[in-house]
Amino acid sequence: MNDEQRDQLPDLAAMEAFGARIAAKVRPGDIVALEGGLGAGKTTLARAIIAALGYEGEVPSPTFTIIETYDPPSLRLPVAHADFYRLDDPSEVEEIGLDDYREGAVLLAEWPSHAGGFSHDPACLSILLETQGTGRIAIARAGADWLGRMP
């Protein structure tokens, strides 16, 4: 990771605006790795990104399905929203066919460490969400492919 940026997210509107900034910069093949403890806002940020890409429907948490997909024309590019919390071993990503879901899509990955992590990938934007009072702070670290387009 070559670049780091911190954003204060004091409320839901700020989280949605941050998601919109990310959505404006993503392109197929990108990974947005969402890290943080339970309740840190990972799913909320993923929902904000998906909504900013044009999706108007309900965005369920993929906690139980592991991966939810969204395809054009309901949003401007394909998205695979994954929650790897329930994986017991990173090798399970092969069993669920993650590479197939990722092809030509943006991957929004919650609990990326459970899938072996993605920070080594130059297309990865890692975002650590931490609670701070009643709001959040987002610490974004960009892989080489993100340099010059940090949200």
Side-chain angles (χ1 to χ4, degrees):
M1 295 290 167
N2 303 315
D3 201 4
E4 182 176 293
Q5 177 177 307
R6 293 174 177 262
D7 287 274
Q8 297 290 327
L9 307 172
D11 53 28
L12 183 58
M15 181 78 83
E16 289 171 349
F18 185 56
R21 290 195 311 272
I22 294 168
K25 303 288 185 176
V26 293
R27 52 191 185 207
D30 282 344
I31 303 162
V32 180
L34 303 171
E35 303 173 82
L38 289 170
K42 296 177 296 296
T43 302
T44 301
L45 181 55
R47 287 177 174 146
I49 294 166
I50 292 167
L53 287 169
Y55 191 75
E56 295 179 4
E58 178 92 12
V59 176
S61 171
T63 300
F64 294 103
T65 58
I66 300 179
I67 297 178
E68 292 283 338
T69 59
Y70 302 89
D71 294 302
S74 60
L75 64 176
R76 77 172 172 86
L77 50 84
V79 171
H81 178 198
D83 183 334
F84 297 118
Y85 183 76
R86 293 180 46 232
L87 297 187
D88 293 320
D89 188 272
S91 66
E92 292 179 63
V93 296
E94 290 178 29
E95 293 173 28
I96 61 174
L98 181 62
D99 289 343
D100 294 334
Y101 287 107
R102 284 194 57 198
E103 187 149 339
V106 172
L107 173 63
L108 303 179
E110 297 184 41
W111 298 98
S113 62
H114 289 229
F118 299 97
S119 61
H120 63 279
D121 192 309
C124 184
L125 175 66
S126 292
I127 299 172
L128 173 62
L129 294 167
E130 296 180 343
T131 55
Q132 187 176 59
T134 58
R136 308 281 185 274
I137 185 167
I139 304 165
R141 291 182 182 89
D145 289 358
W146 278 88
L147 297 180
R149 53 181 183 118
M150 279 287 277

